[in-house]
């Protein structure tokens, strides 16, 4: 049995080599389509997992204050009211905002922090800030305060490249410097974050916060993760929709190549029938030919997509999935392949074509046996 299958495979390969230019053109187009779709799947899944890993340490709840349906500064006295709720371990106010720098035509995230030993005239910045700010002289940032007063910050620390996903546009300063730049009055913060003892109680605690402080909006960690996931799903889906026209053209091309038997192929089937080959043997032969082309294209396309995404950082789709901003994060994705997604790509590319190749052979060998024999 094994010997018979080996003979079938040898014959299928020799048959493909006799029509090498036709099959090579099909394989190249096939590989390109597998490469494009697999690259989108790999990149979207990898960047989604990177975001989830970075947000793993995010507090279970962010409390914002709303006024007229918009985000407003939150009073510091809200901190004690939230901390009194049973199940809340800790509540901390945060000061953060966005600063638009005209020279770079980009917005940067400015955050007050106590984690760095910074003076009021010093800052720690992300790699993206250093790369795009454009007016850095003598390691100093020149910022225009809310009242037009210039503020000069000395760059004390540049954050490592490994943190670019969350820190590319980040400027860390002291609380006093933040209030001087943005004019946030004492006794107010941008929002507050709460650590919860049992994450399963987060929704219940959020409801209690809203009852005590009706002008607030608690945002749960799972909502943040879901928002990031939906953003990447939407962007990857948008790219796939754009590639749909190319996929349709490929399907037409593949159908024409797979179902359009040449006179030589019809003669070959006639000879095999004359030699005593059964219909099942001919169908198996054609199935192996189609499987060989589709599987080769699939493996080559997946390998190229792997290199493109995890070693070249997906230059074809990087801007579309990260964003078109002047300042976007530069980071290396960690190789991670989802077996289910790979199986889905396999089912959508290899299986249809392999089945598609046996239809014309069946029609010639079963429904048109005389026509096949006349070509001998």
């Amino acid at each position: 049995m094994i010997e018979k299958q080996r003979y079938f495979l040898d014959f299928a390969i020799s048959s493909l080599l006799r029509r090498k230019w036709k099959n090579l053109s099909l394989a190249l187009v096939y590989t390109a389509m597998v490469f494009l779709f697999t690259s989108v799947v790999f990149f979207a899944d990898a960047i989604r997992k990177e975001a989830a890993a970075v947000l793993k340490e995010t507090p279970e709840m962010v409390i914002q204050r709303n006024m007229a349906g918009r985000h407003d500064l939150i009073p510091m006295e809200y901190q004690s009211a939230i901390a009194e709720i049973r199940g809340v371990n800790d509540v901390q106010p945060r000061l953060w905002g966005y600063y638009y720098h005209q020279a770079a035509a980009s917005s940067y995230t400015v955050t007050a922090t106590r984690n760095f030993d910074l003076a009021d005239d010093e800052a720690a910045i992300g790699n993206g800030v250093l790369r795009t700010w454009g007016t850095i002289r003598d390691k100093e940032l020149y910022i225009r305060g809310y009242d037009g007063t210039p503020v000069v910050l000395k760059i004390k620390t540049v954050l490592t490249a490994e943190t670019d996903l969350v820190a590319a546009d980040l400027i860390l300063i002291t609380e006093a410097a933040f209030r001087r730049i943005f004019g946030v009055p004492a006794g107010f913060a941008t929002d507050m974050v709460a650590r919860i003892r049992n994450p399963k109680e987060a929704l219940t605690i959020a409801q209690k916060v809203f009852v005590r402080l009706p002008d607030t909006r608690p945002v749960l960690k799972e909502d943040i993760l879901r928002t990031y996931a939906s953003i990447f799903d939407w962007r990857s889906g948008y790219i796939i929709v754009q590639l749909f026209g190319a996929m349709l053209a490929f399907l037409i091309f593949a159908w024409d190549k797979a179902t359009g038997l040449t006179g030589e192929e019809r003669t070959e089937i006639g000879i095999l029938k004359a030699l005593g080959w059964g219909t099942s043997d001919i169908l198996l032969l054609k199935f192996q030919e189609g499987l060989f082309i589709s599987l080769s294209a699939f493996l080559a396309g997946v390998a190229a997509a792997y290199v493109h995404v995890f070693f070249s950082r997906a230059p074809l789709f990087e801007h579309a999935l990260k964003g078109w901003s002047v300042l976007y994060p530069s980071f290396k994705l960690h190789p991670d392949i989802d077996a289910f997604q790979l199986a889905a790509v396999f089912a959508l590319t290899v299986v249809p074509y392999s089945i598609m190749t046996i239809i014309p052979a069946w029609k010639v060998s079963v429904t048109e046996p005389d026509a096949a024999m006349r070509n001998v």
Side-chain angles (χ1 to χ4, degrees):
M1 184 64 180
I2 297 177
E3 192 71 14
K4 179 180 179 181
Q5 293 299 322
R6 189 175 68 83
Y7 287 139
F8 268 114
L9 185 60
D10 289 342
F11 192 91
I13 294 174
S14 63
S15 178
L16 291 172
L17 291 176
R18 285 196 297 272
R19 297 178 294 275
K20 57 184 178 182
W21 296 116
K22 170 190 172 182
N23 294 321
L24 181 61
S25 64
L26 174 61
L28 289 176
V29 177
Y30 204 150
T31 301
M33 291 307 306
V34 174
F35 162 75
L36 291 174
F37 278 92
T38 309
S39 291
V40 175
V41 171
F42 280 176
F43 192 85
D45 187 60
I47 200 172
R48 189 187 302 112
K49 289 179 179 177
E50 284 292 316
V54 170
L55 295 171
K56 187 177 181 180
E57 300 303 321
T58 301
E60 288 76 18
M61 186 184 302
V62 176
I63 300 97
Q64 300 175 342
R65 184 192 182 201
N66 286 350
M67 179 172 288
R70 297 179 64 86
H71 184 197
D72 194 19
L73 297 177
I74 187 169
M76 287 293 194
E77 54 262 27
Y78 282 22
Q79 181 179 4
S80 57
I82 299 171
E84 291 173 357
I85 297 175
R86 186 177 181 180
V88 176
N89 273 349
D90 182 50
V91 181
Q92 292 296 329
R94 297 193 306 183
L95 285 170
W96 61 271
Y98 298 110
Y99 178 80
Y100 181 76
H101 187 44
Q102 291 184 346
S106 183
S107 292
Y108 299 87
T109 303
V110 184
T111 302
T113 181
R114 297 187 182 94
N115 296 332
F116 290 79
D117 186 17
L118 299 173
D120 290 343
D121 62 344
E122 293 179 333
I125 65 174
N127 272 288
V129 180
L130 188 66
R131 186 175 68 246
T132 63
W133 190 268
T135 59
I136 296 178
R137 296 185 184 91
D138 300 324
K139 293 187 177 181
E140 291 181 336
L141 296 180
Y142 296 87
I143 296 178
R144 182 183 176 87
Y146 76 101
D147 56 357
T149 305
V151 178
V152 180
L153 297 173
K154 298 176 183 177
I155 300 174
K156 182 178 181 180
T157 304
V158 177
L159 304 176
T160 59
E162 287 75 14
T163 64
D164 262 10
L165 183 59
V166 291
D169 68 335
L170 194 59
I171 301 174
L172 298 175
I173 57 178
T174 64
E175 179 179 335
F178 184 92
R179 295 187 186 278
R180 186 168 77 250
I181 293 172
F182 292 100
V184 177
F188 288 88
T190 306
D191 57 23
M192 294 183 180
V193 294
R195 296 285 181 180
I196 296 174
R197 187 176 299 109
N198 184 359
K200 294 181 180 180
E201 298 177 353
L203 182 58
T204 301
I205 295 174
Q207 293 171 346
K208 292 180 180 179
V209 171
F210 183 73
V211 170
R212 288 197 179 193
L213 305 168
D215 60 343
T216 61
R217 179 196 175 207
V219 181
L220 300 180
K221 179 180 179 178
E222 61 184 33
D223 295 328
I224 298 174
L225 295 173
R226 191 183 305 113
T227 299
Y228 273 92
S230 64
I231 289 173
F232 294 129
D233 287 342
W234 178 85
R235 288 182 175 178
S236 59
Y238 180 72
I239 295 175
I240 290 177
V241 169
Q242 288 183 315
L243 292 175
F244 181 75
M247 184 63 178
L248 185 61
F250 165 72
L251 290 175
I252 296 173
F253 175 77
W255 176 264
D256 178 67
K257 292 290 185 181
T259 60
L261 291 181
T262 62
E264 178 185 354
E265 290 174 296
R266 289 174 177 271
T267 300
E268 181 181 89
I269 293 176
I271 293 174
L272 294 176
K273 294 285 288 186
L275 292 175
W277 282 47
T279 299
S280 60
D281 295 331
I282 294 174
L283 295 182
L284 179 60
L285 173 66
K286 291 301 178 182
F287 178 77
Q288 288 184 343
E289 290 180 6
L291 183 63
F292 185 84
I293 292 176
S294 58
L295 193 57
S296 299
F298 174 79
L299 294 176
V302 169
Y306 187 89
V307 173
H308 173 241
V309 172
F310 298 114
F311 291 94
S312 302
R313 302 189 181 184
L316 292 178
F317 307 115
E318 184 179 38
H319 290 283
L321 285 171
K322 288 183 182 178
W324 291 95
S325 173
V326 173
L327 176 64
Y328 62 87
S330 176
F331 57 92
K332 184 177 180 180
L333 295 171
H334 296 90
D336 187 10
I337 297 177
D338 190 320
F340 176 78
Q341 292 180 337
L342 204 59
V345 175
F346 180 89
L348 291 173
T349 55
V350 175
V351 176
Y353 180 80
S354 301
I355 296 175
M356 195 186 301
T357 55
I358 67 175
I359 297 175
W362 174 80
K363 289 177 64 177
V364 171
S365 61
V366 176
T367 63
E368 304 177 26
D370 296 335
M373 295 297 293
R374 282 196 298 271
N375 288 317
V376 179

